Amino acid sequence: MSRRVVIPAVVAGLAVIAVGGWLWLRRDDPRPASFRAEPTSAFYAAIDSRQNDASPLTPKEVFTSATQTLGTMRLDSTRQVTDCDEVLWGTSATGCTQALQATYKGSTAAGQFVIFNMSDGRAADALVSALRKDGFVRQDVVFEAARSRAQARAMGHYVTVSWVGGTASDQDLVTALVALDGLGRVVQGRIVAAT
């Protein structure tokens, strides 16, 4: 092979490797900088299966008038989907029949909350495990993911995901995450109704 053929072939090969590496490393769908995940527990045994808690969640049940403002963030939008994979990337919510999502905005922090209605506690734990490593929820509100915090909880056959970010201090982001995660208290009412 002549030198004239080898050099362009090497350059072309390096270009293919560079483009492939860039595509592999690039993330169109961001992950939180800090993430905590919790499996379900015996506390949620009464609602470990959708059979014991068959009524679908409603937006009014989850996003009440008391949750219009959470700390310094204000409710911006809500939506309900029946194809739960619409709000996920890199993983699937097998057994999920609905997901309710809300976005919140403030001057220094923004966040989103999603609750998934899974078939049972095993499916809920599987989704939480997948969120830890395989994929995450799609980001529907603008904030810098590199400075964000998130938490996912399996609670019986439900999974909640709370995710906040922004220019607020780390302590203020933790406070915002706790407030957003409080939307998951709706599950406690489901426990009472099932017992």
Side-chain angles (χ1 to χ4, degrees):
M1 241 203 251
S2 77
R3 188 173 176 170
R4 289 183 195 172
V5 174
V6 172
I7 291 175
V10 169
V11 169
L14 289 174
V16 167
I17 291 170
V19 168
W22 179 78
L23 288 171
W24 183 75
L25 291 173
R26 161 186 149 213
R27 291 197 182 233
D28 286 338
D29 297 307
R31 295 187 57 81
S34 173
F35 178 63
R36 178 185 162 129
E38 294 180 16
T40 193
S41 69
F43 180 80
Y44 302 101
I47 57 167
D48 189 59
S49 169
R50 194 183 304 127
Q51 290 177 336
N52 300 337
D53 177 35
S55 298
L57 291 165
T58 66
K60 285 186 175 187
E61 178 183 10
V62 180
F63 311 119
T64 67
S65 60
T67 65
Q68 298 300 300
T69 301
L70 297 176
T72 61
M73 299 183 301
R74 181 133 184 89
L75 182 64
D76 184 58
S77 68
T78 64
R79 72 176 176 142
Q80 178 176 216
V81 297
T82 54
D83 179 2
C84 301
D85 290 350
E86 279 184 34
V87 298
L88 295 167
W89 66 265
T91 191
S92 182
T94 304
C96 183
T97 56
Q98 71 173 156
L100 281 78
Q101 181 179 42
T103 59
Y104 284 80
K105 292 181 180 178
S107 60
T108 60
Q112 64 188 59
F113 174 86
V114 185
I115 186 166
F116 296 90
N117 190 338
M118 307 298 290
S119 57
D120 57 32
R122 287 181 307 284
D125 282 346
L127 178 57
V128 168
S129 181
L131 294 174
R132 187 180 288 135
K133 57 184 168 50
D134 296 330
F136 207 66
V137 296
R138 295 187 188 283
Q139 189 176 17
D140 278 354
V141 64
V142 178
F143 57 77
E144 179 58 46
R147 281 205 72 243
S148 68
R149 296 176 170 272
Q151 178 164 307
R153 295 177 190 251
M155 297 184 284
H157 71 96
Y158 296 104
V159 171
T160 63
V161 181
S162 306
W163 189 14
V164 298
T167 59
S169 70
D170 286 341
Q171 183 57 46
D172 287 343
L173 286 178
V174 169
T175 301
L177 182 62
V178 169
L180 199 59
D181 191 57
L183 291 169
R185 284 191 294 265
V186 67
V187 174
Q188 293 173 0
R190 291 302 182 112
I191 294 170
V192 171
T195 52

